Amino acid sequence: MSAASSLLSEDQFLCSICLDVFTDPVSTPCGHNFCKNCISEHWDMKDYCECPNCKKRFKRGPELQVNTFISEMVSHYKQSARQRASSRSEQQAAKPGEVPCDICAGTKLKALKSCLVCLVSYCETHLQPHLTKSGLKRHQLINPVENLESRMCTKHDKLLELFCRDDQTCVCMLCTISDHKAHDVVPLKEEYEGRKAELGKTEAELQQMVQQRQLKIEEFKQSVKVSRGNADRQIADGVQVLTWLKDTIERMQSEAIKMIETKHTLIEKQAKGFIRELEQEISELKKKSAELEQLSLSEDHLHLLQNLPSLDAPPPTKDWTEVRVRPPSYEGNLRAALAPLAETLTIKLKKLQPKTELKTARQFAVDVTLDRNKADPTLILSEDGKQVHHGDTRKSLLHGIPVSPSVLGKQIISSGRFYLEVQVKGKTQWILGVAKESVNRKGPITIDPQNGFWTVGLRNENEYYAPSVLLSLKSKPKKVGVFVDYEEGLVLFYDVDAADLLYAYTGCCFTERLLPFFSPSSNQGGHNSAPLIICSVNPPE
C-alpha cells in the first residue's frame, strides 16, 4: 500500500469542493469522491442532489458511506508527505556562495542540479520530476550554477548552445542565420572539448614552470647550504689563526717587555756603579779640600811647611771624560721580536686561504670549449675543442711584428662566478686568463687590463708574470685554475696541485661580457710544442 501511495501525486487526494486532502472520503453513485462533510453541505444548499463534477442528478439523496480504501490511501499519503517534509527539513540549506533552489519557498535549500532547458536550479526534492518523468528526463542537467539567464541569448531569448569561432562568442541558433551567418560556428561541446584540451596543455606547461621554480628554490637552498658550510669553515679557520695570533702576541708582548726591561736594568746598574765611584771620589776630594782650608788658616810657619807637601797633591781619581752611559735602541729590538710573528702569520695565511678559496672556486666550474671562429690561423685545435697548440715552427708575424697567437673560449662570462682549469705542463711559454669580448687581438697589443686582458703567463721557461709584475713561485705549476667573480670584480689564478694563489686582480669594474683567453705562444722550433689542455673539474668533496 505504501509503495502504491508513494507513486500517487497530491492532486489525486484533493477534494474538488474544499481543494484540500480528503477528510472521511465518500463516493457518489457516479464514482466521484469528496469529503463527507463537503458533499453533505453542498447538497443541503440545493433543492436536488447533483454531483459537483459530472452534474449527474440523483432522484433522492444517496446514503453516503466512508470509502475505507480511499481513506487508507489518504492516511498513507499523509504519512509519506510528513516523511518527505521531514527529509526536506534535514536537507542542507544553501550557504553563502552556494547555488540555492529556485523552487523552495522560505528557506532555500542547496541546489543539486540546474536545468538548461527550464533555466531553473533544483534541490533534491524538486529535482525528482526531472529524474522520473519521461518528458523531463530529456532536459540537460548540469552542476548547479547561478545566473542561468546569462545562458540565454539577449537578442533572441534562445539558449546559447553554439560557439562562433570568428567572433569568439557564444550564440543561439537564430544568431547563425542573422549576425553570425557564414561564420565558423560549432556546438558548445565541441569547442569545450577543444578548449579543455588546450587547458590541459596549458596546465602541463604551468606545472612544468612550477617544477622549474621548485628546482630553482632547491638550487637557492643548496647555495645557502654551501655558503653556510663555507662560512663555518672560514670561521673555524679564522678563529684558529686569530686565537694563535692572540696567544702569540701576548707571549711575544711579555717577551719583548722582558727583553726591554732587561736592557734597561743593565744600563741602570752600570749607571749606579759609576755614580757610586763618583760619589766616593767627591767625598775624598771634599775631605782633601777641608784639610787644605784648615792648613791655610794656620799661622804656624813650621807646621804649614811641614804638612803642605802631603796635602798639596790631589787624591787619585779616574778620568771620566770618555766615560758614557748610552741608552740602548729599543725600537730595533721590538721590530726584531715581531718579525718572526709576521713571517709565521704570512705562512699560515698562505696555507689557509688558497686551499679554502680554491675548493670554493671549483664549485663554479664551467665546461669550456675553444671557439674556432676566434682562433689565430696558426693555431691547431683538437676536434673536441679542448686542446690548442701552435702549428708553425716560425713565430707568428703581423705586419712584420711578432705577436702571441691566441684563441677565445665559447663560454660567455656576463654575471656570477666562473672557473676553469688548464694544463700547462711541458710548455716553456703561455698566457691564460680572460678578455673582453670586444678586444683587438691583432697587432702589437699590450696584454694588460687597460686593453681588456686579465692574464698571467710564462716566458723564458722560468719567468712567471702578470702585467708589469714578476711572480715569485715556489714551484712550476702544471695546472692553472682561473676564477672570475663578475660582480665582485675578481680574477684569481691558482696553482691547482699546490693549492697556491699565483696572482689576484681585485677591484675590477667589468662593463661588458668576458671570454676565456688562451695563448699557447709560438712553437719555438718545437721547444714549446706541448698543447694547452682544458681539463675537466671534478666536483669538490
Side-chain angles (χ1 to χ4, degrees):
M1 180 67 70
S2 61
S5 65
S6 65
L7 298 177
L8 298 175
S9 67
E10 184 178 0
D11 294 341
Q12 295 172 293
F13 297 99
L14 295 180
C15 171
S16 60
I17 298 175
C18 67
L19 301 179
D20 201 354
V21 179
F22 291 127
T23 301
D24 296 332
V26 296
S27 299
T28 60
C30 59
H32 294 109
N33 302 307
F34 306 93
C35 295
K36 184 178 181 180
N37 189 52
C38 290
I39 191 62
S40 297
E41 289 181 353
H42 180 72
W43 285 345
D44 288 344
M45 294 173 61
K46 292 181 177 292
D47 297 332
Y48 53 86
C49 296
E50 181 183 69
C51 177
N53 287 349
C54 64
K55 307 301 181 180
K56 183 177 180 179
R57 293 188 178 187
F58 306 108
K59 293 181 177 180
R60 64 168 184 258
E63 186 178 354
L64 299 176
Q65 301 290 331
V66 175
N67 188 324
T68 56
F69 176 76
I70 295 178
S71 179
E72 187 176 348
M73 290 286 290
V74 169
S75 176
H76 280 288
Y77 172 78
K78 289 181 177 180
Q79 182 179 0
S80 176
R82 286 193 297 271
Q83 291 175 349
R84 288 197 301 272
S86 175
S87 174
R88 173 182 169 84
S89 65
E90 293 175 356
Q91 292 182 36
Q92 187 175 10
K95 298 178 181 179
E98 294 179 337
V99 179
C101 175
D102 293 325
I103 306 300
C104 288
T107 302
K108 295 286 187 179
L109 300 185
K110 178 183 176 181
L112 294 184
K113 293 290 182 180
S114 294
C115 177
L116 295 181
V117 178
C118 304
L119 297 180
V120 175
S121 297
Y122 298 102
C123 66
E124 181 179 1
T125 301
H126 294 121
L127 182 64
Q128 293 306 311
H130 278 74
L131 302 178
T132 57
K133 292 188 178 182
S134 59
L136 297 177
K137 283 184 178 180
R138 292 193 295 270
H139 290 191
Q140 184 178 356
L141 298 176
I142 62 173
N143 289 330
V145 294
E146 291 183 313
N147 300 323
L148 286 169
E149 294 79 5
S150 63
R151 296 177 176 271
M152 300 295 291
C153 177
T154 56
K155 185 175 183 179
H156 302 107
D157 199 25
K158 296 292 183 182
L159 185 67
L160 298 172
E161 51 186 338
L162 301 171
F163 185 82
C164 177
R165 288 178 172 171
D166 293 342
D167 295 334
Q168 292 293 298
T169 185
C170 297
V171 298
C172 70
M173 289 296 297
L174 294 179
C175 291
T176 60
I177 59 176
S178 57
D179 298 340
H180 299 269
K181 186 178 181 179
H183 286 191
D184 183 9
V185 178
V186 296
L188 284 179
K189 184 177 181 181
E190 180 179 338
E191 186 66 19
Y192 161 82
E193 291 175 349
R195 294 292 182 92
K196 192 171 183 179
E198 291 179 4
L199 287 176
K201 182 180 178 181
T202 303
E203 183 181 2
E205 293 174 353
L206 292 175
Q207 288 296 329
Q208 184 178 5
M209 292 174 67
V210 169
Q211 292 176 0
Q212 290 173 346
R213 280 150 181 77
Q214 288 175 338
L215 290 175
K216 205 65 180 177
I217 289 174
E218 293 302 319
E219 178 185 330
F220 291 154
K221 288 182 178 179
Q222 181 62 25
S223 297
V224 172
K225 183 179 179 181
V226 170
S227 175
R228 181 71 270 169
N230 293 340
D232 289 342
R233 284 192 295 272
Q234 286 289 336
I235 290 172
D237 292 342
V239 168
Q240 181 182 4
V241 171
L242 292 174
T243 300
W244 169 85
L245 182 61
K246 173 178 172 291
D247 294 341
T248 304
I249 288 175
E250 290 178 351
R251 176 177 54 80
M252 297 190 74
Q253 176 185 350
S254 176
E255 292 176 354
I257 292 173
K258 184 179 179 180
M259 177 184 64
I260 293 170
E261 289 294 342
T262 300
K263 283 193 173 185
H264 173 72
T265 300
L266 291 175
I267 292 300
E268 186 178 31
K269 184 178 180 180
Q270 183 184 37
K272 286 181 178 180
F274 290 155
I275 290 171
R276 280 196 299 271
E277 289 185 47
L278 287 169
E279 288 176 344
Q280 186 175 357
E281 288 186 359
I282 291 171
S283 177
E284 293 293 333
L285 291 172
K286 285 182 176 182
K287 181 180 178 182
K288 193 76 170 179
S289 176
E291 290 177 351
L292 287 175
E293 182 181 2
Q294 184 67 30
L295 183 63
S296 66
L297 296 176
S298 175
E299 295 180 356
D300 187 341
H301 301 165
L302 177 64
H303 175 74
L304 186 146
L305 293 174
Q306 287 179 338
N307 291 285
L308 182 60
S310 62
L311 295 177
D312 189 36
T317 57
K318 183 189 291 187
D319 184 4
W320 295 94
T321 304
E322 301 298 329
V323 178
R324 299 283 188 277
V325 175
R326 302 181 184 279
S329 175
Y330 299 109
E331 289 78 6
N333 295 328
L334 182 60
R335 190 181 304 110
L338 294 177
L341 172 62
E343 183 178 353
T344 305
L345 181 59
T346 300
I347 294 172
K348 280 186 174 290
L349 290 177
K350 285 185 176 180
K351 289 182 178 179
L352 171 66
Q353 291 178 343
K355 290 183 179 179
T356 305
E357 291 175 357
L358 180 58
K359 186 175 182 180
T360 302
R362 299 188 84 195
Q363 298 175 1
F364 302 95
V366 176
D367 184 15
V368 176
T369 52
L370 303 172
D371 190 342
R372 297 181 184 276
N373 297 322
K374 297 179 180 178
D376 187 283
T378 62
L379 296 181
I380 299 176
L381 278 62
S382 63
E383 289 295 327
D384 61 0
K386 297 292 185 181
Q387 300 185 27
V388 58
H389 67 278
H390 192 233
D392 196 344
T393 56
R394 298 168 297 173
K395 291 185 177 180
S396 292
L397 297 176
L398 184 66
H399 306 303
I401 302 173
V403 298
S404 183
S406 63
V407 59
L408 298 178
K410 293 182 179 180
Q411 285 63 34
I412 294 171
I413 310 166
S414 59
S415 64
R417 299 170 184 174
F418 178 98
Y419 179 79
L420 77 154
E421 291 180 355
V422 183
Q423 179 178 307
V424 296
K425 179 181 178 181
K427 295 194 64 60
T428 58
Q429 289 189 5
W430 51 262
I431 306 174
L432 290 175
V434 293
K436 291 182 180 178
E437 189 176 26
S438 61
V439 292
N440 177 17
R441 294 181 295 117
K442 297 180 180 180
I445 302 300
T446 301
I447 298 180
D448 59 20
Q450 285 71 32
N451 290 316
F453 297 88
W454 292 266
T455 62
V456 296
L458 169 67
R459 61 192 175 203
N460 302 329
E461 297 191 23
N462 293 306
E463 194 174 275
Y464 294 91
Y465 68 97
S468 304
V469 179
L470 289 178
L471 307 181
S472 177
L473 305 183
K474 297 178 181 178
S475 59
K476 298 179 64 173
K478 298 178 181 178
K479 189 185 296 183
V480 176
V482 183
F483 175 74
V484 178
D485 190 322
Y486 194 91
E487 283 74 20
E488 294 293 332
L490 294 176
V491 183
L492 309 178
F493 296 88
Y494 294 94
D495 180 341
V496 175
D497 296 326
D500 283 336
L501 181 66
L502 301 178
Y503 191 73
Y505 292 93
T506 60
C508 305
C509 182
F510 301 125
T511 58
E512 63 177 89
R513 304 195 302 182
L514 306 177
L515 295 172
F517 176 84
F518 308 85
S519 174
S521 296
S522 59
N523 193 297
Q524 296 181 345
H527 293 291
N528 192 34
S529 60
L532 291 175
I533 303 174
I534 300 173
C535 305
S536 59
V537 180
N538 296 324
E541 299 178 355

